Amino acid sequence: MGKIILTGDRPTGRLHLGHYVGSLRRRVELQNSGEFEKIFIMIADAQALTDNADNPEKVRQNIIEVALDYLSCGIDPEKSNIFIQSQVPELCELAFYYMNLVTVQRLQRNPTVKAEIQMRGFTSTDDDALQKKGIPVGFFTYPISQASDITAFRATTVPVGDDQAPMIEQTREIVHKFNAVYGETLTMPEMLLPDNAACCRLPGTDGKAKMSKSLGNCIYLSDTSKEIKKKVNSMFTDPGHLQISDPGKVEGNVVFTYLDAFSTPEHFAKFLPEYSCLDEMKDHYRHGGLGDGTCKKFLCNILEDILQPIRERRAAYEQNIPLVYEILRKGSEIARADAAKTLTDVRKAMKIDYFEDSELIRQQSEKFKSK
Ligand code: TRP
């Protein structure tokens, strides 16, 4: 059996550079590696509703934004199947069965669920908190729904950031349990982490935390050159590096963190031939004599180099939105057909395929005849 990828994103906003280094860039590489028999990329609208119950229209509006970001980054609908989660109702059915294989206590121990309960203010005593003192059942059980997403497509490989590790672990437990109870039916998935640690957690432009829309520290894939220049120029560097001649720190200096994530020797040859590589540039900065302005200009050039083709592709797709919906419709159809096949296997394993089970009908007939 060939390898199958399933991964996805919640459509709650446009995608940013954190998504790009953490997952999108990798997905395109995996797509073009030819190593995978099938690739499914899911826009997780139903999962997004689990913590946006008060704002369903936001989720609805952002489906197209995420689709445009995928396509503009080089996800090729001929090679990767992009689909919308809610259009595959088989996923709900599967989750309903899995719910019996997971305890409330186990869900309560899921570190991502725990962190998000805090972050979303579900248990806040503040009356203005998003969900007004309470955890929506759908939110609490979303790891189970995520196990359905992964297993419905028989994914072998789930490329995600390390924040998703508890979800994959939970999925593996469900697969193990299901196969133990009903016989070998589901495929055991593996998580695939980004290979470069700097890419796992790209900080926001303020250097404080991961890029996050609510913190306003994101560079979006769809930002204009002007917006990018402004954001790079306002980036946090080393507050002790006042004069160009002062020695500077590269640790915790956002410009260098971004250079770690994005710069290649080709970028040096093209934009900053004084140095052959990032280590040389860092040495100069540490010793003094290299100004923030030069570093920022270099970073702007690199980001422009990466984002310009993405921006152009996006602009072209933006002129043809019906085509993008058509891609999503076709992708959802293909996804649904695959999920339906898995559901047939699952029902059979669970022996709830009553009308297909001629042995059951025969046995019951005998039982009542001999009464
Ligand atoms: N939870 C993921 C996120 O927030 C999105 C997602 C939903 C997902 N279902 C998935 C990722 C299945 C990988 C596999 O980004």
Side-chain angles (χ1 to χ4, degrees), residues 6-10 42 44 47 142 146 149-150 158 160 164:
L6 179 288
T7 187
D9 299 279
R10 298 180 185 189
M42 181 179 75
Q47 186 176 109
Y142 94 76
Q146 192 153 336
D149 302 338
I150 294 168
V158 188
V160 281
Q164 293 292 308

Short mmCIF file of all heavy atoms in Angstrom, two decimals, residues 6-10 42 44 47 142 146 149-150 158 160 164, ligand 1:
data_model
loop_
_atom_site.label_atom_id
_atom_site.label_comp_id
_atom_site.label_asym_id
_atom_site.label_seq_id
_atom_site.Cartn_x
_atom_site.Cartn_y
_atom_site.Cartn_z
N LEU A 6 -2.66 13.15 4.99
CA LEU A 6 -3.82 13.99 5.31
C LEU A 6 -3.34 15.08 6.23
O LEU A 6 -2.66 14.81 7.22
CB LEU A 6 -4.92 13.14 5.99
CG LEU A 6 -6.24 13.77 6.45
CD1 LEU A 6 -6.13 14.67 7.66
CD2 LEU A 6 -6.96 14.52 5.34
N THR A 7 -3.67 16.30 5.89
CA THR A 7 -3.37 17.41 6.80
C THR A 7 -4.36 18.53 6.52
O THR A 7 -5.18 18.41 5.60
CB THR A 7 -1.90 17.87 6.67
OG1 THR A 7 -1.63 18.83 7.69
CG2 THR A 7 -1.59 18.45 5.31
N GLY A 8 -4.32 19.57 7.32
CA GLY A 8 -5.28 20.64 7.07
C GLY A 8 -5.13 21.82 7.99
O GLY A 8 -4.25 21.86 8.83
N ASP A 9 -6.01 22.78 7.79
CA ASP A 9 -6.00 24.01 8.58
C ASP A 9 -7.43 24.45 8.86
O ASP A 9 -8.33 24.22 8.06
CB ASP A 9 -5.31 25.14 7.78
CG ASP A 9 -3.88 24.81 7.46
OD1 ASP A 9 -3.03 25.00 8.34
OD2 ASP A 9 -3.61 24.33 6.34
N ARG A 10 -7.57 25.13 9.99
CA ARG A 10 -8.87 25.74 10.29
C ARG A 10 -9.00 27.04 9.51
O ARG A 10 -8.08 27.87 9.56
CB ARG A 10 -8.96 26.09 11.77
CG ARG A 10 -8.86 24.89 12.66
CD ARG A 10 -8.97 25.36 14.09
NE ARG A 10 -8.74 24.24 14.99
CZ ARG A 10 -8.94 24.32 16.30
NH1 ARG A 10 -9.36 25.44 16.85
NH2 ARG A 10 -8.74 23.27 17.05
N MET A 42 -7.13 19.37 3.86
CA MET A 42 -8.49 19.64 4.30
C MET A 42 -8.65 21.04 4.90
O MET A 42 -7.86 21.45 5.75
CB MET A 42 -8.86 18.61 5.37
CG MET A 42 -10.24 18.75 5.90
SD MET A 42 -10.60 17.48 7.12
CE MET A 42 -9.66 18.13 8.48
N ALA A 44 -10.58 22.74 7.43
CA ALA A 44 -11.33 22.18 8.56
C ALA A 44 -12.38 23.17 9.07
O ALA A 44 -12.26 23.72 10.17
CB ALA A 44 -10.37 21.76 9.66
N GLN A 47 -14.23 21.87 12.23
CA GLN A 47 -13.41 22.01 13.44
C GLN A 47 -13.31 23.49 13.85
O GLN A 47 -13.29 23.80 15.04
CB GLN A 47 -12.01 21.43 13.22
CG GLN A 47 -11.21 21.44 14.51
CD GLN A 47 -9.84 20.78 14.36
OE1 GLN A 47 -8.84 21.47 14.39
NE2 GLN A 47 -9.81 19.48 14.23
N TYR A 142 -13.13 17.66 19.92
CA TYR A 142 -12.57 17.80 18.58
C TYR A 142 -11.37 16.89 18.31
O TYR A 142 -11.15 16.50 17.16
CB TYR A 142 -12.35 19.27 18.20
CG TYR A 142 -10.98 19.86 18.47
CD1 TYR A 142 -9.90 19.55 17.64
CD2 TYR A 142 -10.77 20.74 19.51
CE1 TYR A 142 -8.65 20.10 17.88
CE2 TYR A 142 -9.53 21.29 19.76
CZ TYR A 142 -8.47 20.97 18.94
OH TYR A 142 -7.24 21.51 19.17
N GLN A 146 -10.82 14.87 14.89
CA GLN A 146 -9.56 14.90 14.14
C GLN A 146 -9.06 13.49 13.84
O GLN A 146 -8.48 13.24 12.79
CB GLN A 146 -8.51 15.72 14.91
CG GLN A 146 -7.31 16.03 14.05
CD GLN A 146 -6.58 17.31 14.45
OE1 GLN A 146 -7.15 18.20 15.06
NE2 GLN A 146 -5.33 17.39 14.11
N ASP A 149 -10.83 12.51 10.79
CA ASP A 149 -10.25 13.14 9.59
C ASP A 149 -9.08 12.30 9.08
O ASP A 149 -8.93 12.07 7.89
CB ASP A 149 -9.70 14.54 9.91
CG ASP A 149 -10.74 15.48 10.48
OD1 ASP A 149 -11.94 15.24 10.25
OD2 ASP A 149 -10.34 16.45 11.16
N ILE A 150 -8.25 11.90 10.02
CA ILE A 150 -7.01 11.22 9.65
C ILE A 150 -7.29 9.79 9.16
O ILE A 150 -6.79 9.36 8.12
CB ILE A 150 -6.02 11.22 10.84
CG1 ILE A 150 -5.59 12.66 11.14
CG2 ILE A 150 -4.82 10.32 10.56
CD1 ILE A 150 -4.85 12.84 12.45
N VAL A 158 0.96 12.31 8.60
CA VAL A 158 0.27 13.55 8.93
C VAL A 158 1.31 14.64 9.18
O VAL A 158 1.87 14.72 10.27
CB VAL A 158 -0.65 13.38 10.16
CG1 VAL A 158 -1.51 14.62 10.38
CG2 VAL A 158 -1.53 12.14 10.02
N VAL A 160 2.41 17.94 10.37
CA VAL A 160 1.85 19.01 11.21
C VAL A 160 2.96 19.63 12.06
O VAL A 160 4.05 19.08 12.15
CB VAL A 160 0.75 18.47 12.17
CG1 VAL A 160 -0.56 18.28 11.47
CG2 VAL A 160 1.21 17.20 12.87
N GLN A 164 0.50 19.91 17.33
CA GLN A 164 -0.52 18.91 17.00
C GLN A 164 -0.16 17.51 17.49
O GLN A 164 -0.94 16.57 17.32
CB GLN A 164 -0.75 18.87 15.48
CG GLN A 164 -1.37 20.15 14.93
CD GLN A 164 -2.80 20.33 15.41
OE1 GLN A 164 -3.63 19.44 15.29
NE2 GLN A 164 -3.08 21.48 16.00
N1 TRP B 1 -6.15 20.96 14.21
C1 TRP B 1 -5.49 21.43 13.03
C2 TRP B 1 -5.11 22.88 13.25
O1 TRP B 1 -5.67 23.55 14.11
C3 TRP B 1 -6.36 21.34 11.79
C4 TRP B 1 -6.77 19.94 11.50
C5 TRP B 1 -8.03 19.43 11.55
C6 TRP B 1 -5.90 18.86 11.13
N2 TRP B 1 -8.03 18.12 11.24
C7 TRP B 1 -6.76 17.73 10.96
C8 TRP B 1 -4.53 18.74 10.93
C9 TRP B 1 -6.23 16.48 10.65
C10 TRP B 1 -4.00 17.49 10.62
C11 TRP B 1 -4.86 16.36 10.48
O2 TRP B 1 -4.24 23.38 12.57
#
